[in-house]
Amino acid sequence: MFVSVIFVRAIVSELQSRGFSPAHALAGIGVRDDQLNDLRARFSYAEMDRVIEKAIELTGDPGLGLSIGMNAPESMLQVLGHLIVSCRTLRDAWNLFERYVPLVAEGMSWNLVEDNERARFVYHCPVAYGRSTRFASEYAMAMAVRIARHFLPANAEHADLVMFEHPEPEYAARYDRVFLCPVRYGQPSNTLIFNRAFLDLPQVHADPAMHNALRDMAERFLHELEGPRSTADRVRVLLGYEGDLANIDVIKLSRSVGLTPRSLRRRLASEGVSLTTLIDEARCRLACEELRREGSIKAIAERVGFSEPSAFHRAFKRWTGQTPLEFARRG
């Protein structure tokens, strides 16, 4: 498992802001200049542990993760950071983060859980390296709060509660200043709890044109990282993270896999599947998810591209052998 060089860059940037020269910062944490400048460089979790421990020793600050999480610009996450803050809603940002998080770290787990009026972001680090694990949790949760605030009105209330797995540290007062809400320690998970309505608030500063360009770039980077896969599988993944299945932009979808619409259809045909079939798969999957959440059938029909509920009923029966109401009742 690996983490991207961007985390090392963030640590070095923080060290420089505290008066350490670039040469001193790099020498102090054992990173070569050529590694720092290679945006595709990767570090193992063991290597990152050594970097974090050395940075804490240099600064004498055991809460360094909080500082970096609150101070590092979104650009520290490279294309993923810019892509997230260009999204229309926090829910859209979450879906894309889930898709492209392998660009910045492998193995880290983020889950979105929705329950009645509350939603939870749950973070888990796959390895345990003492202070470094606490550093990672502090950084991840602080950065999550900062990014979430991009999507909220200026007068919106803050998170309801933040929970951490680690025990209460000696600098706990800093958590209060960072999160501006109650904080609990020694909990079963690292969790941020907030108003579920925040997920779908439209962001005033969303930038669709920039968003599309950044998503194309992120998809190319991810394809390089993951290696070859079938075109059909790549389209399935992209449709799985598409927020609006009522108005699918086939040109944008084709561009995301490096093809024209005509070439995409030919490639899929050579793999024994059609674009229409893949879109129906995505619509069926989304409709099932929304029905399990007890959503309105009329609203679900519109979200997956049917202007009339009767047409949605016929399509859903064809996809699953059940009517939407039958499926919802069986849960």
Side-chain angles (χ1 to χ4, degrees):
M1 292 187 293
F2 69 84
V3 295
S4 168
V5 70
I6 63 176
F7 293 108
V8 181
R9 290 163 65 96
I11 292 172
V12 170
S13 176
E14 180 71 16
L15 291 175
Q16 290 181 245
S17 73
R18 298 187 183 208
F20 294 92
S21 68
H24 188 185
L26 290 175
I29 61 176
V31 177
R32 301 189 314 272
D33 183 68
D34 62 318
Q35 289 177 293
L36 194 64
N37 293 324
D38 180 0
L39 296 182
R40 288 178 170 79
R42 298 288 184 264
F43 291 80
S44 69
Y45 277 88
E47 289 172 323
M48 276 302 300
D49 176 62
R50 292 193 292 271
V51 168
I52 292 167
E53 286 289 347
K54 191 62 180 180
I56 290 174
E57 290 176 14
L58 284 172
T59 60
D61 182 2
L64 194 63
L66 285 176
S67 295
I68 296 177
M70 290 306 295
N71 297 330
E74 286 77 15
S75 59
M76 189 277 292
L77 290 176
Q78 296 177 26
V79 64
L80 180 57
H82 292 298
L83 177 60
I84 288 172
V85 298
S86 71
C87 286
R88 186 179 60 87
T89 66
L90 186 56
R91 186 186 296 279
D92 291 344
W94 163 257
N95 288 334
L96 286 183
F97 175 79
E98 190 177 31
R99 163 69 176 152
Y100 296 114
V101 71
L103 294 177
V104 297
E106 182 183 41
M108 288 186 181
S109 169
W110 279 95
N111 294 298
L112 172 63
V113 181
E114 298 179 60
D115 182 19
N116 296 322
E117 296 181 356
R118 292 290 172 266
R120 292 177 287 157
F121 284 142
V122 183
Y123 162 77
H124 174 68
C125 184
V127 295
Y129 280 113
R131 288 196 300 179
S132 294
T133 302
R134 185 174 68 188
F135 169 98
S137 299
E138 291 173 341
Y139 164 77
M141 300 295 277
M143 186 62 122
V145 166
R146 279 188 57 214
I147 290 176
R149 287 173 184 161
H150 276 278
F151 297 87
L152 306 182
N155 60 349
E157 61 187 69
H158 297 285
D160 294 343
L161 177 67
V162 177
M163 301 189 294
F164 285 95
E165 294 177 344
H166 56 256
E168 182 175 345
E170 65 274 16
Y171 51 91
R174 289 172 63 180
Y175 285 71
D176 298 331
R177 296 193 295 271
V178 167
F179 297 108
L180 303 175
C181 71
V183 180
R184 295 178 185 169
Y185 306 94
Q187 300 299 304
S189 63
N190 302 299
T191 302
L192 172 65
I193 302 175
F194 58 97
N195 189 331
R196 185 181 180 186
F198 288 169
L199 287 170
D200 298 304
L201 288 176
Q203 182 189 190
V204 175
H205 303 295
D207 187 338
M210 179 62 71
H211 177 84
N212 290 338
L214 290 168
R215 185 169 179 180
D216 289 346
M217 187 182 303
E219 192 62 30
R220 288 196 299 272
F221 286 162
L222 190 63
H223 181 55
E224 290 178 16
L225 183 65
E226 292 179 338
R229 59 164 56 180
S230 73
T231 301
D233 284 343
R234 293 179 65 195
V235 171
R236 284 189 179 97
V237 170
L238 289 167
L239 289 172
Y241 290 97
E242 183 61 57
D244 183 6
L245 291 177
N247 298 289
I248 296 172
D249 187 335
V250 175
I251 294 176
K252 183 179 77 172
L253 181 67
S254 303
R255 190 171 61 235
S256 293
V257 294
L259 298 169
T260 64
R262 185 176 182 181
S263 296
L264 173 61
R265 288 187 169 90
R266 286 178 173 174
R267 183 74 60 82
L268 291 173
S270 72
E271 295 176 6
V273 67
S274 70
L275 182 57
T276 299
T277 298
L278 296 180
I279 292 173
D280 276 349
E281 286 179 8
R283 286 174 168 157
C284 178
R285 183 168 53 251
L286 178 60
C288 290
E289 290 173 358
E290 292 298 318
L291 287 168
R292 291 190 185 100
R293 295 192 185 110
E294 301 180 354
S296 157
I297 291 179
K298 183 176 185 297
I300 294 170
E302 291 175 352
R303 187 174 178 191
V304 298
F306 294 88
S307 58
E308 295 294 333
S310 59
F312 171 63
H313 276 72
R314 290 193 297 273
F316 194 86
K317 183 71 178 288
R318 185 175 71 252
W319 296 334
T320 67
Q322 304 175 69
T323 67
L325 189 57
E326 288 171 343
F327 182 90
R329 284 173 175 170
R330 294 175 184 177

